[in-house]
Amino acid sequence: MTTKAQYTDQVSERERRNLMLSHEAACEGIVLLENDGVLPLAPCKLALYGAGSQYTIKGGSGSGEVNVRHSVSVMEGLEAAGFEIVSKDWIDRYDAQWKAGKEQFLRGVRRKLWWPTARRIDALMGTEYRYPAGDLLTDKELAECGTDSCIYVLSRQSGEGHDQQDLPGSFWLEETEIRNILACAEHFRRFVLLINTGTPVDLSPLEGIQGIRAIVYMGQLGMEGGNAIASVLTGGHTPSGHLAVSWPKRYSDVPFGGEFAADPSHAIYKEGIYVGYRYYDSFDIEPRYPFGYGLSYTTFAIDRFSVRRQDDRILCAGRVTNTGKQYAGKQVVQLYVSCPGEDREYQRLVAFVKTKTLKPGESQTVEADFPLSVLSRYEQASARTMLDAGRYVLRAGSSSRDTEPVAVIRIEQPVVLRQHRNLCASTVPIAELTHANAPVAPDLVPEIAVPANVFTTQQIDYTPKPEILSERTRKVLKDMTVADYVKFCAGTGMMGENKGFRTPGAVGHTTADYIDRGIPNVELCDAPAGIRLERRSVQYADGSIRPVDVSISIYEYLPSWILHWFILGNPDKGKMLYQFVTAFPVPAMQAQTWNTELVERIGQAISEEMGEYGVTFWLAPGMNIVRNPLCGRNFEYYSEDPVLTGRMATAVTHGVQSVGGHYVTLKHFCANNQETKRHTISSDVDERTLREIYLPGFEMVVREAQPRAVMAAYNRLNGVYCPESRELCTDMLRAEWGFSGVVMTDWYSIMPDRADGVASIRSGVDLIMPGGEKDVKILAKACERGELSEADLRRAAARVIDALVMSRQAE
Ligand code: BGC
């Protein structure tokens, strides 16, 4: 086997550079939620408590994990910034409790996995070590710590395979956490709460507590988290992050929250289009912190706002001034529109722009534009995308609840923008919420008239188009038969074959049987906050490669005999190989930067690391909409809003694919919005909701950045497994949006009681992952029996081969 992993563990120049980028993104993703002036805080003697002080969570668990050389904890970052931590006793006791708790937890899961079957492992993905809250703080301990400054770090781990719960220690704070936070708030003159979670938590027990002088949502910031938070707390970096999801006051405010993950076979999306702020704003429910919200150490003003139309786009410009006296900072200008109609949300985000760093007194003119089509609605009865006549109010501001009207857009006549077919209509009746919207159009703002003749109606043509293939692909396909095609339509298993090229840590591999014909085997690697690779591996004399470390938490659950016989290698018996990559802030925090230029640079950095270690498909970005704060993978996704999601994913796709032959994989397509029963649940969503909330992000990336791959989700959509849905995998993706890459399944989607491989290939899936000999045989047999056409196999193989021959690995 050949590899690009290196024989040295020296820190490279690329690592240093990307670490700085991770730091920059982490600083920019932090959201200041509350501050009565206590921040910034100069380095001082500091009492530090809470699970995340030392065990700071850099990112969630499961396939979203990234293995790094070192991740900086809050304690480490604060110490490096000059704070003297005076609560080391508590922290040391916590350390011992954490380790003992972890040991006990692992003993329990290993007992259940004494004979690990795929199903048992899968079931254990639903188990997560829950960090203890630590000792209750005593008055004596607080009195003796000798400082008036304190930080408490509240943490939650979450991840693949399990959702959070509406319970203490999960979405709620635990009794000990509440009591310790209250004790700190009472005792210390300067007390700051840091929240180190991938999704909102319920802060209602802290309501009205005077002594909490600042709350900072640090989220999960990747490997530079501790340094970044220190930089923001001390004023080295002025916070400029804004929330990408709404924080409800309490879980009972979440629409149909009580039904989330409750039914084992159906998730009925009763809230319809009213997701996140669309719900809170339309139904007058005050969130704790609204979508788009975030404070700064300085203040900003927006003026000289101008709005004009150019054809079917609206162009806006405005001047942003840093009106503060002391701190430089950045501001996010957000544009929302209230659309008129019987069943419309109060407002939707249509565009945003972030300023550069403005010094006190400095101004910048910023521009943002949007196509008028973002104001459309999907009319299910006629399967049309419509722009209704009426007056639309455009507002600008710095959060969804802090805006001023800046223009009225008057659509003169109703316009049909697109004539579709209903593709994924729900089969069960969904009694959805509705909200009549009649935006009040103020007189004092300019009105922009939009005549109907600036639009054209697009009739979607669903007839299959000929594949666009490279010359090289055409050539190799010429001599191939079904026996060859099937080998490209399935991967070679999680472990892969013992030949060809290998990136240690890859979770998928394509066939290595055709290397001599110029078709490389390529590697597929997770995950959205970076690439998950093995840091240390060993290569034996026969060329085979084994990892040395337990590099994904699920492996820790395996009995040690399995680990040592089947997974881990012995470093003393071969040559050591190293790979060191960067853990960036999780996508939920990247979205909080509202900085697409920065996210594109993260994409470029990931692409560089892919090139260095030979990764072809990056299994990200995760683009599911944050529908409910309990979803275990919220940290891997960007936002509750499709425009913010789409813009972020487009930026990272541009970055990754800026190098030819490095591909993104948009996932999980689509409506994979809970982890409970994710392999079988049917997301029952009406077509309008799909087209207005859950699909536009994917559509934006496909149209604007031509991603090379899409991963079909595990779940069923309105009763049909996503990979088996021709409507999703072919009609929507290819006919409607023009996608021309590879559609792959999610890992182990194809199982007897999950989706069917043959039906999936027929419907437009090209690659079954992680695949294996069994899948190859099943496909060949199905073709022999006439259940799968040669044309379908050839089409799928052609798309995969095209990606392979165009990959960097081919060089
Ligand atoms: C996850 C995917 C991931 C794949 C490979 C699946 O369990 O749902 O997001 O890319 O595993 O690790």
Side-chain angles (χ1 to χ4, degrees), residues 63 125 160 494 507 526 532 619 633 636 667-668 678 711 714 746-747:
S63 56
M125 275 198 129
E160 187 177 356
M494 214 49 181
V507 286
D526 282 311
R532 195 182 66 257
L619 302 173
R633 293 182 89 171
E636 288 191 55
K667 71 185 189 186
H668 309 88
R678 63 180 172 150
M711 185 191 290
Y714 287 123
D746 199 345
W747 268 231

Side-chain angles (χ1 to χ4, degrees), residues 46 78 87 121-122 192 207 210 239 248 281 330 334 339 381 387 416 428 443 469 520 585 645 671 726 748:
L46 184 81
L78 290 174
S87 51
I121 295 179
D122 215 50
V192 177
E207 268 166 24
Q210 294 303 321
D281 293 348
K330 294 183 177 183
Q334 304 167 30
C339 309
L387 198 51
V416 180
V428 291
D443 294 335
L469 300 171
T645 298
R726 158 171 288 278
Y748 303 105

